[in-house]
Coordinates of all heavy atoms in Angstrom, one line a residue:
Chain Z
S252 N -9.1 84.4 118.5 CA -8.8 84.2 120.0 C -10.1 83.6 120.6 O -11.2 83.7 120.1 CB -8.5 85.5 120.6 OG -9.6 86.3 120.7
S253 N -9.9 83.1 121.8 CA -11.1 82.5 122.5 C -11.9 83.7 123.2 O -13.0 83.6 123.4 CB -10.7 81.5 123.5 OG -9.8 82.0 124.4
K254 N -11.1 84.7 123.5 CA -11.7 85.7 124.4 C -12.5 86.8 123.6 O -13.6 87.2 124.0 CB -10.5 86.4 125.1 CG -10.7 87.7 125.8 CD -9.5 88.0 126.6 CE -9.1 89.4 126.7 NZ -7.8 89.7 127.3
Y255 N -12.0 87.3 122.5 CA -12.6 88.5 121.9 C -14.0 88.3 121.3 O -14.8 89.2 121.4 CB -11.6 89.2 121.0 CG -10.6 89.9 121.8 CD1 -9.3 89.4 122.1 CD2 -10.9 91.1 122.5 CE1 -8.4 90.1 122.9 CE2 -10.1 91.8 123.3 CZ -8.8 91.3 123.5 OH -7.9 91.9 124.3
P256 N -14.2 87.2 120.5 CA -15.6 87.1 120.0 C -16.7 87.3 121.1 O -17.7 87.9 120.8 CB -15.6 85.7 119.3 CG -14.2 85.5 119.0 CD -13.4 86.1 120.1
I257 N -16.4 86.7 122.2 CA -17.4 86.8 123.3 C -17.5 88.3 123.8 O -18.6 88.8 124.0 CB -16.9 85.9 124.5 CG1 -16.9 84.5 124.1 CG2 -17.9 86.1 125.7 CD1 -16.2 83.5 125.1
L258 N -16.3 88.9 124.0 CA -16.4 90.3 124.5 C -17.0 91.3 123.4 O -17.7 92.2 123.8 CB -14.9 90.8 124.8 CG -14.3 90.2 126.0 CD1 -12.9 90.8 126.2 CD2 -15.1 90.5 127.3
F259 N -16.8 91.0 122.2 CA -17.4 91.8 121.1 C -18.9 91.6 121.1 O -19.7 92.5 120.9 CB -16.8 91.6 119.7 CG -15.6 92.5 119.5 CD1 -14.3 92.1 119.8 CD2 -15.8 93.7 118.9 CE1 -13.2 92.9 119.6 CE2 -14.7 94.5 118.7 CZ -13.4 94.1 119.0
A260 N -19.3 90.3 121.3 CA -20.8 90.0 121.3 C -21.4 90.7 122.5 O -22.5 91.3 122.3 CB -21.0 88.5 121.4
K261 N -20.8 90.7 123.6 CA -21.4 91.4 124.8 C -21.5 92.8 124.6 O -22.5 93.5 125.0 CB -20.4 91.2 126.0 CG -20.7 89.9 126.8 CD -20.0 90.0 128.1 CE -20.0 88.6 128.8 NZ -18.9 88.5 129.8
A262 N -20.5 93.4 123.9 CA -20.5 94.9 123.7 C -21.4 95.3 122.6 O -22.1 96.3 122.7 CB -19.0 95.3 123.5
F263 N -21.3 94.6 121.5 CA -22.0 95.1 120.3 C -23.1 94.2 119.8 O -23.7 94.5 118.8 CB -21.0 95.3 119.2 CG -20.0 96.4 119.4 CD1 -18.8 96.2 119.9 CD2 -20.4 97.8 119.2 CE1 -17.9 97.2 120.2 CE2 -19.5 98.8 119.5 CZ -18.2 98.5 120.0
G264 N -23.4 93.1 120.5 CA -24.4 92.2 120.1 C -24.0 91.4 118.8 O -24.8 90.9 118.1
D265 N -22.7 91.4 118.5 CA -22.2 90.7 117.3 C -20.8 90.2 117.5 O -19.9 91.0 117.9 CB -22.2 91.7 116.1 CG -22.0 91.1 114.8 OD1 -21.7 89.9 114.8 OD2 -22.1 91.8 113.8
S266 N -20.6 88.9 117.4 CA -19.3 88.4 117.6 C -18.4 88.5 116.4 O -17.2 88.3 116.5 CB -19.4 86.9 118.0 OG -19.9 86.2 117.0
I267 N -18.9 88.9 115.3 CA -18.1 89.2 114.1 C -17.4 90.6 114.3 O -18.1 91.6 114.5 CB -18.9 89.2 112.8 CG1 -19.7 87.9 112.6 CG2 -18.0 89.5 111.6 CD1 -18.8 86.7 112.4
I268 N -16.1 90.6 114.4 CA -15.4 91.9 114.7 C -15.3 92.7 113.4 O -14.9 92.2 112.4 CB -14.0 91.5 115.3 CG1 -14.2 90.6 116.5 CG2 -13.3 92.8 115.6 CD1 -13.0 90.1 117.1
T269 N -15.7 94.0 113.6 CA -15.5 94.9 112.4 C -14.5 96.0 112.9 O -14.3 96.2 114.1 CB -16.8 95.6 112.0 OG1 -17.2 96.5 113.1 CG2 -17.9 94.6 111.7
G270 N -14.0 96.7 111.9 CA -13.1 97.8 112.2 C -13.8 98.9 113.0 O -13.3 99.4 114.0
E271 N -15.1 99.1 112.6 CA -15.8 100.1 113.4 C -15.9 99.8 114.8 O -15.7 100.6 115.7 CB -17.2 100.2 112.7 CG -18.1 101.3 113.4 CD -19.6 101.2 113.0 OE1 -20.0 100.2 112.4 OE2 -20.3 102.2 113.3
H272 N -16.3 98.6 115.1 CA -16.5 98.2 116.5 C -15.2 98.2 117.3 O -15.1 98.6 118.5 CB -17.2 96.8 116.6 CG -18.6 96.8 116.2 ND1 -19.4 95.7 115.9 CD2 -19.4 97.9 115.9 CE1 -20.6 96.1 115.5 NE2 -20.6 97.4 115.5
L273 N -14.1 97.7 116.7 CA -12.8 97.7 117.3 C -12.4 99.1 117.7 O -12.1 99.4 118.8 CB -11.8 97.1 116.3 CG -10.3 97.2 116.8 CD1 -10.1 96.2 117.9 CD2 -9.4 96.8 115.6
L274 N -12.6 100.1 116.8 CA -12.2 101.5 117.0 C -13.0 102.1 118.1 O -12.6 102.9 118.9 CB -12.2 102.3 115.7 CG -11.2 101.8 114.7 CD1 -11.4 102.6 113.4 CD2 -9.8 101.9 115.2
K275 N -14.3 101.8 118.0 CA -15.3 102.5 118.9 C -15.0 102.0 120.4 O -15.1 102.8 121.3 CB -16.7 102.2 118.5 CG -17.1 103.1 117.4 CD -18.6 103.1 117.1 CE -19.0 104.3 116.3 NZ -20.3 104.0 115.6
A276 N -14.7 100.7 120.5 CA -14.4 100.2 121.8 C -13.2 100.8 122.4 O -13.1 101.2 123.6 CB -14.3 98.7 121.8
I277 N -12.1 100.9 121.6 CA -10.9 101.5 122.1 C -11.1 102.9 122.5 O -10.7 103.4 123.6 CB -9.7 101.4 121.1 CG1 -9.4 99.9 120.8 CG2 -8.5 102.2 121.6 CD1 -8.3 99.7 119.7
A278 N -11.9 103.6 121.7 CA -12.2 105.0 122.0 C -12.9 105.1 123.3 O -12.7 106.1 124.1 CB -13.0 105.7 120.9
Q279 N -13.8 104.2 123.6 CA -14.6 104.3 124.8 C -13.7 104.2 126.1 O -13.9 105.0 127.0 CB -15.7 103.2 124.9 CG -16.8 103.4 123.9 CD -18.1 103.1 124.4 OE1 -18.3 102.5 125.5 NE2 -19.2 103.4 123.6
F280 N -12.7 103.3 126.0 CA -11.8 103.2 127.2 C -11.0 104.5 127.3 O -10.9 105.1 128.4 CB -10.9 102.0 127.0 CG -9.9 102.0 128.1 CD1 -10.3 101.7 129.4 CD2 -8.5 102.2 127.8 CE1 -9.3 101.7 130.5 CE2 -7.6 102.1 128.9 CZ -8.0 101.9 130.2
E281 N -10.6 105.1 126.2 CA -9.8 106.3 126.2 C -10.6 107.5 126.8 O -10.1 108.4 127.4 CB -9.2 106.6 124.9 CG -8.2 105.6 124.4 CD -7.6 105.9 123.0 OE1 -8.4 105.9 122.1 OE2 -6.4 106.2 123.0
L282 N -11.9 107.5 126.4 CA -12.8 108.6 126.8 C -13.0 108.7 128.3 O -13.1 109.7 128.9 CB -14.2 108.4 126.2 CG -14.2 108.8 124.7 CD1 -15.5 108.2 124.0 CD2 -14.1 110.3 124.5
I283 N -12.9 107.5 129.0 CA -13.2 107.6 130.4 C -11.9 107.9 131.2 O -11.9 108.0 132.4 CB -13.8 106.3 131.0 CG1 -12.8 105.1 130.9 CG2 -15.1 106.0 130.3 CD1 -13.2 103.9 131.8
L284 N -10.8 108.1 130.5 CA -9.5 108.5 131.2 C -9.6 110.0 131.5 O -9.0 110.8 130.8 CB -8.3 108.2 130.3 CG -8.1 106.7 129.8 CD1 -7.0 106.6 128.9 CD2 -8.0 105.8 131.0
V285 N -10.4 110.3 132.5 CA -10.6 111.7 132.8 C -9.8 112.0 134.1 O -9.9 111.3 135.1 CB -12.1 112.0 133.1 CG1 -12.3 113.4 133.6 CG2 -12.9 111.8 131.8
S286 N -9.0 113.0 134.0 CA -8.2 113.5 135.2 C -8.7 114.8 135.6 O -8.6 115.8 134.9 CB -6.7 113.6 134.8 OG -6.0 114.1 135.9
A287 N -9.4 114.8 136.8 CA -10.1 116.1 137.2 C -10.0 116.2 138.7 O -10.9 116.8 139.3 CB -11.5 116.1 136.7
N288 N -9.1 115.5 139.3 CA -9.0 115.5 140.8 C -7.6 115.7 141.3 O -7.2 115.1 142.3 CB -9.7 114.2 141.4 CG -10.1 114.4 142.8 OD1 -10.3 115.6 143.3 ND2 -10.2 113.4 143.6
A289 N -6.9 116.7 140.7 CA -5.6 117.1 141.2 C -5.8 118.1 142.3 O -7.0 118.5 142.6 CB -4.8 117.7 140.1
K290 N -4.8 118.4 143.0 CA -4.9 119.4 144.1 C -5.5 120.7 143.5 O -6.4 121.4 144.1 CB -3.5 119.7 144.7 CG -3.7 120.8 145.8 CD -2.4 120.9 146.7 CE -2.7 121.9 147.8 NZ -1.5 122.3 148.5
Y291 N -5.0 121.1 142.3 CA -5.6 122.2 141.6 C -7.1 122.2 141.6 O -7.8 123.2 141.9 CB -5.0 122.3 140.2 CG -5.8 123.2 139.3 CD1 -5.6 124.6 139.2 CD2 -6.8 122.6 138.4 CE1 -6.4 125.4 138.4 CE2 -7.5 123.4 137.6 CZ -7.3 124.8 137.6 OH -8.1 125.6 136.7
D292 N -7.7 121.0 141.2 CA -9.1 120.9 141.1 C -9.8 121.0 142.5 O -10.8 121.7 142.6 CB -9.5 119.6 140.5 CG -8.9 119.4 139.1 OD1 -9.4 120.1 138.2 OD2 -8.0 118.6 138.9
Q293 N -9.1 120.5 143.5 CA -9.7 120.5 144.8 C -9.7 122.0 145.3 O -10.6 122.4 146.0 CB -8.9 119.6 145.8 CG -9.1 118.1 145.4 CD -8.1 117.2 146.0 OE1 -7.2 117.6 146.7 NE2 -8.2 115.9 145.7
V294 N -8.6 122.7 145.0 CA -8.6 124.1 145.3 C -9.7 124.9 144.6 O -10.4 125.7 145.2 CB -7.2 124.8 145.0 CG1 -7.2 126.3 145.2 CG2 -6.1 124.1 145.8
M295 N -9.9 124.6 143.3 CA -11.0 125.3 142.6 C -12.4 124.9 143.2 O -13.2 125.8 143.2 CB -11.0 124.8 141.1 CG -9.7 125.3 140.3 SD -9.6 127.1 140.3 CE -7.9 127.3 140.8
R296 N -12.5 123.7 143.7 CA -13.8 123.3 144.3 C -13.8 123.8 145.8 O -14.8 123.4 146.5 CB -13.9 121.8 144.2 CG -14.0 121.3 142.8 CD -14.6 119.8 142.8 NE -13.8 118.9 143.5 CZ -12.9 118.0 143.0 NH1 -12.7 118.0 141.7 NH2 -12.3 117.2 143.8
K297 N -12.8 124.5 146.2 CA -12.7 125.1 147.5 C -12.7 124.0 148.6 O -13.2 124.2 149.7 CB -13.9 126.0 147.8 CG -14.0 127.2 146.8 CD -14.6 128.4 147.4 CE -14.3 129.6 146.6 NZ -14.6 129.6 145.1
E298 N -12.1 122.9 148.3 CA -12.0 121.8 149.3 C -10.7 121.9 150.0 O -10.5 121.3 151.1 CB -12.0 120.4 148.6 CG -13.4 120.1 148.0 CD -13.4 119.0 146.9 OE1 -12.4 118.2 146.9 OE2 -14.3 118.9 146.2
T299 N -9.7 122.6 149.4 CA -8.4 122.8 150.1 C -7.9 124.2 149.6 O -8.5 124.9 148.8 CB -7.5 121.7 149.8 OG1 -6.3 121.9 150.5 CG2 -7.2 121.5 148.4
T300 N -6.7 124.5 150.0 CA -6.1 125.8 149.5 C -4.7 125.5 149.1 O -4.0 124.6 149.5 CB -6.0 126.8 150.7 OG1 -5.4 126.2 151.8 CG2 -7.4 127.3 151.0
F301 N -4.2 126.4 148.2 CA -2.8 126.4 147.7 C -1.9 126.9 148.9 O -2.3 127.7 149.7 CB -2.6 127.4 146.6 CG -3.1 126.9 145.2 CD1 -3.8 127.7 144.4 CD2 -2.8 125.6 144.8 CE1 -4.2 127.3 143.1 CE2 -3.2 125.2 143.5 CZ -3.9 126.0 142.7
S302 N -0.6 126.4 148.9 CA 0.4 127.0 149.8 C 0.7 128.3 149.2 O 0.4 128.7 148.0 CB 1.6 126.1 149.8 OG 2.3 126.2 148.5
V303 N 1.5 129.1 150.0 CA 1.9 130.5 149.5 C 2.6 130.4 148.2 O 2.4 131.1 147.2 CB 2.7 131.2 150.6 CG1 3.2 132.5 150.1 CG2 1.9 131.3 151.8
Q304 N 3.6 129.4 148.2 CA 4.4 129.2 147.0 C 3.5 128.8 145.7 O 3.7 129.3 144.6 CB 5.4 128.1 147.3 CG 6.6 128.1 146.4 CD 7.5 127.0 146.7 OE1 7.1 125.9 147.1 NE2 8.8 127.2 146.4
E305 N 2.6 127.9 146.0 CA 1.8 127.4 144.9 C 0.9 128.6 144.3 O 0.7 128.7 143.1 CB 0.9 126.3 145.3 CG 1.6 124.9 145.6 CD 0.8 124.0 146.4 OE1 -0.3 124.3 146.9 OE2 1.3 122.8 146.6
K306 N 0.5 129.4 145.3 CA -0.4 130.5 144.9 C 0.4 131.5 144.0 O -0.2 132.0 143.0 CB -0.9 131.2 146.2 CG -2.1 132.0 146.0 CD -2.8 132.3 147.3 CE -3.8 133.4 147.1 NZ -4.3 133.9 148.3
S307 N 1.6 131.8 144.4 CA 2.4 132.7 143.6 C 2.6 132.0 142.3 O 2.6 132.7 141.2 CB 3.7 132.9 144.4 OG 4.8 133.0 143.5
G308 N 2.9 130.7 142.2 CA 3.1 130.0 141.0 C 1.9 130.1 140.1 O 1.9 130.3 138.9
Y309 N 0.7 130.0 140.7 CA -0.6 130.0 139.9 C -0.7 131.4 139.3 O -1.1 131.5 138.1 CB -1.7 129.7 140.9 CG -3.1 129.7 140.2 CD1 -3.3 129.1 139.0 CD2 -4.2 130.2 140.9 CE1 -4.5 129.1 138.4 CE2 -5.5 130.1 140.3 CZ -5.6 129.6 139.0 OH -6.9 129.5 138.4
A310 N -0.4 132.4 140.0 CA -0.5 133.8 139.4 C 0.4 133.9 138.3 O 0.1 134.5 137.2 CB -0.2 134.8 140.5
L311 N 1.7 133.4 138.4 CA 2.6 133.5 137.3 C 2.1 132.7 136.1 O 2.3 133.1 135.0 CB 4.0 133.0 137.8 CG 4.7 133.8 138.8 CD1 5.8 133.0 139.5 CD2 5.3 135.1 138.1
F312 N 1.5 131.5 136.4 CA 1.0 130.7 135.4 C 0.0 131.4 134.6 O 0.0 131.4 133.3 CB 0.4 129.4 135.9 CG -0.1 128.5 134.9 CD1 0.7 127.6 134.2 CD2 -1.5 128.6 134.5 CE1 0.2 126.8 133.2 CE2 -1.9 127.7 133.5 CZ -1.1 126.9 132.8
Q313 N -1.0 132.1 135.3 CA -2.0 132.8 134.6 C -1.5 133.9 133.8 O -2.0 134.2 132.7 CB -3.0 133.3 135.6 CG -3.8 132.1 136.2 CD -5.0 132.6 137.1 OE1 -4.7 133.3 138.1 NE2 -6.2 132.1 136.8
T314 N -0.4 134.5 134.2 CA 0.1 135.6 133.4 C 0.9 135.1 132.2 O 0.7 135.7 131.1 CB 1.2 136.4 134.3 OG1 0.6 136.7 135.5 CG2 1.6 137.7 133.6
H315 N 1.7 134.1 132.4 CA 2.6 133.7 131.3 C 2.2 132.5 130.5 O 2.7 132.3 129.4 CB 4.0 133.5 131.9 CG 4.6 134.7 132.5 ND1 4.9 135.8 131.8 CD2 4.8 135.0 133.8 CE1 5.4 136.7 132.6 NE2 5.3 136.3 133.9
C316 N 1.4 131.6 131.0 CA 1.2 130.3 130.3 C -0.2 130.1 129.9 O -0.5 129.3 129.0 CB 1.7 129.2 131.2 SG 3.2 129.5 132.2
N317 N -1.1 130.7 130.6 CA -2.5 130.3 130.5 C -3.1 130.6 129.1 O -4.1 129.9 128.7 CB -3.4 131.0 131.6 CG -4.7 130.4 131.7 OD1 -4.9 129.1 131.8 ND2 -5.8 131.2 131.7
S318 N -2.6 131.5 128.3 CA -3.2 131.8 127.0 C -3.0 130.6 126.1 O -3.8 130.4 125.2 CB -2.6 133.0 126.4 OG -1.2 133.0 126.5
C319 N -2.0 129.8 126.3 CA -1.8 128.6 125.5 C -2.3 127.3 126.3 O -3.1 126.5 125.9 CB -0.4 128.4 125.1 SG 0.2 129.6 123.9
H320 N -1.7 127.2 127.5 CA -2.1 126.0 128.3 C -3.3 126.4 129.2 O -3.2 126.5 130.4 CB -0.9 125.6 129.2 CG 0.3 125.2 128.4 ND1 0.4 124.0 127.8 CD2 1.5 125.8 128.2 CE1 1.6 123.9 127.2 NE2 2.3 125.0 127.4
Q321 N -4.4 126.6 128.6 CA -5.6 127.2 129.2 C -6.3 126.3 130.2 O -6.6 125.1 129.9 CB -6.5 127.6 128.1 CG -7.4 128.7 128.4 CD -8.3 129.0 127.2 OE1 -9.3 128.4 126.9 NE2 -7.8 130.0 126.4
E322 N -6.6 126.9 131.3 CA -7.5 126.1 132.3 C -8.9 125.9 131.7 O -9.3 126.7 130.9 CB -7.6 127.0 133.6 CG -6.4 127.3 134.3 CD -6.7 128.3 135.4 OE1 -7.2 127.9 136.5 OE2 -6.4 129.5 135.2

Side-chain angles (χ1 to χ4, degrees):
Chain Z
S252 71
S253 56
K254 167 170 144 186
Y255 284 101
I257 299 169
L258 290 179
F259 273 87
K261 273 192 191 156
F263 294 98
D265 190 352
S266 61
I267 304 293
I268 302 171
T269 67
E271 180 191 15
H272 291 167
L273 174 70
L274 296 177
K275 283 188 162 163
I277 296 175
Q279 291 219 351
F280 175 67
E281 293 179 296
L282 286 164
I283 66 158
L284 304 177
V285 173
S286 175
N288 199 21
K290 179 169 185 190
Y291 161 84
D292 300 292
Q293 291 162 4
V294 173
M295 293 301 130
R296 295 197 302 259
K297 305 208 162 50
E298 294 162 16
T299 181
T300 50
F301 281 138
S302 70
V303 175
Q304 199 184 30
E305 289 162 355
K306 202 167 167 189
S307 146
Y309 182 39
L311 292 163
F312 180 84
Q313 288 186 307
T314 313
H315 298 293
C316 320
N317 195 47
S318 46
C319 294
H320 299 283
Q321 205 178 85
E322 296 172 77

